[in-house]
Amino acid sequence: QVQLQESGPGLVKPSETLSLICTVSDDSITSSTYYWGWIRQSPGNGLEWIGNIYYSGSPYYNPTLKSRVSMSIDTSKKHFSLSLRSVTAADTAVYYCARRDYSDAFHVWGQGTLVTVSS
Amino acid sequence: QSALTQPASVSGSPGQSITISCTGSSSDVGSYNLVSWYQQFPGKAPKVIISEVNKRPSGVSDRFSGSKSGNTASLTISGLQAEDEAVYYCCSWAGSITFYLFGTGTTVTVL
């Protein structure tokens, strides 16, 4: 069964860039069936979709974050990445990577990684 | 765009049935049969329990069922069990501008 694993710094300073990588355990990252996404959850709050990317590229983003977000994918390394620029304390959250299938649901999730924005 | 609206909490006794609503608009829930539901335990990642309004992924108990009427989707848990205590989120595709909206989340308590 495929597994997703987030990695990256747990602490980012305000105004800097948050960068995370999600490593996929199998070759499904090259499949045309799936999209790969990032979703975050602020402490004690609900879920917020950040963006999705396809194996060939073509990312699309939450319009509320679009000006600060970029995603990329490297199928040869079996990973995809998230960059969020100009972070503030409001970006402190657990960041999940996930796999979306044809049903438009996120069927596979990483365990999540807490990123704290603080000086 | 704003989150889909769910009740903050729902409770029931063991064996009872409960229903969680997820209210959106004609631009999201009302326009697409692409509503999914997620179960989340404290400190854990969400797990999909319903996709495409009413489809259960393999391995999900048949005590969970989904439906939709107009701009409101619903999740019903039948035969409530202590292990169902968790937070439940809905999610809907909302078109090619907004894309995905999650619900505000509902805490289910088994009395």
Side-chain angles (χ1 to χ4, degrees), chain A residues 22-56:
Chain A
C22 180
T23 301
V24 181
S25 65
D26 69 8
D27 290 332
S28 63
I29 195 169
T30 61
S31 171
S32 59
T33 302
Y34 306 112
Y35 275 82
W36 304 91
W38 290 96
I39 296 151
R40 70 180 182 179
Q41 186 169 34
S42 302
N45 291 332
L47 301 165
E48 180 181 31
W49 173 76
I50 300 171
N52 282 2
I53 191 166
Y54 200 42
Y55 78 101
S56 59

Side-chain angles (χ1 to χ4, degrees), chain A residues 72-92:
Chain A
S72 63
I73 190 165
D74 189 333
T75 55
S76 66
K77 295 182 179 177
K78 296 184 184 178
H79 73 216
F80 59 103
S81 64
L82 169 71
S83 290
L84 181 64
R85 298 176 290 277
S86 304
V87 297
T88 69
D91 295 310
T92 293

Side-chain angles (χ1 to χ4, degrees), chain B residues 30-106:
Chain B
S31 287
Y32 307 98
N33 288 326
L34 293 173
V35 176
S36 49
W37 288 89
Y38 301 85
Q39 177 190 59
Q40 186 179 34
F41 296 109
K44 300 295 186 181
K47 170 191 171 184
V48 64
I49 55 173
I50 294 288
S51 65
E52 296 179 277
V53 175
N54 56 15
K55 297 181 179 178
R56 272 189 314 276
S58 174
V60 173
S61 171
D62 61 4
R63 297 186 299 103
F64 295 96
S65 62
S67 62
K68 190 185 87 167
S69 177
N71 297 336
T72 298
S74 298
L75 173 72
T76 297
I77 309 176
S78 305
L80 196 64
Q81 299 179 3
E83 66 197 47
D84 299 329
E85 283 204 341
V87 181
Y88 293 82
Y89 294 94
C90 61
C91 179
S92 176
W93 171 254
S96 58
I97 296 176
T98 304
F99 302 111
Y100 295 95
L101 289 173
F102 278 96
T104 49
T106 299

Side-chain angles (χ1 to χ4, degrees), chain A:
Chain A
Q1 173 157 344
V2 63
Q3 293 184 323
L4 307 182
Q5 179 66 58
E6 304 90 350
S7 59
L11 181 64
V12 181
K13 289 182 168 56
S15 80
E16 296 190 344
T17 297
L18 178 161
S19 296
L20 295 174
I21 286 176
C22 180
T23 301
V24 181
S25 65
D26 69 8
D27 290 332
S28 63
I29 195 169
T30 61
S31 171
S32 59
T33 302
Y34 306 112
Y35 275 82
W36 304 91
W38 290 96
I39 296 151
R40 70 180 182 179
Q41 186 169 34
S42 302
N45 291 332
L47 301 165
E48 180 181 31
W49 173 76
I50 300 171
N52 282 2
I53 191 166
Y54 200 42
Y55 78 101
S56 59
S58 304
Y60 53 102
Y61 307 125
N62 185 323
T64 65
L65 299 170
K66 185 177 181 179
S67 63
R68 299 193 292 130
V69 172
S70 54
M71 293 176 60
S72 63
I73 190 165
D74 189 333
T75 55
S76 66
K77 295 182 179 177
K78 296 184 184 178
H79 73 216
F80 59 103
S81 64
L82 169 71
S83 290
L84 181 64
R85 298 176 290 277
S86 304
V87 297
T88 69
D91 295 310
T92 293
V94 174
Y95 286 76
Y96 295 99
C97 59
R99 188 178 82 177
R100 192 224 83 175
D101 75 356
Y102 63 90
S103 70
D104 240 353
F106 297 96
H107 282 256
V108 183
W109 295 65
Q111 66 185 24
T113 187
L114 174 63
V115 179
T116 301
V117 178
S118 175
S119 56

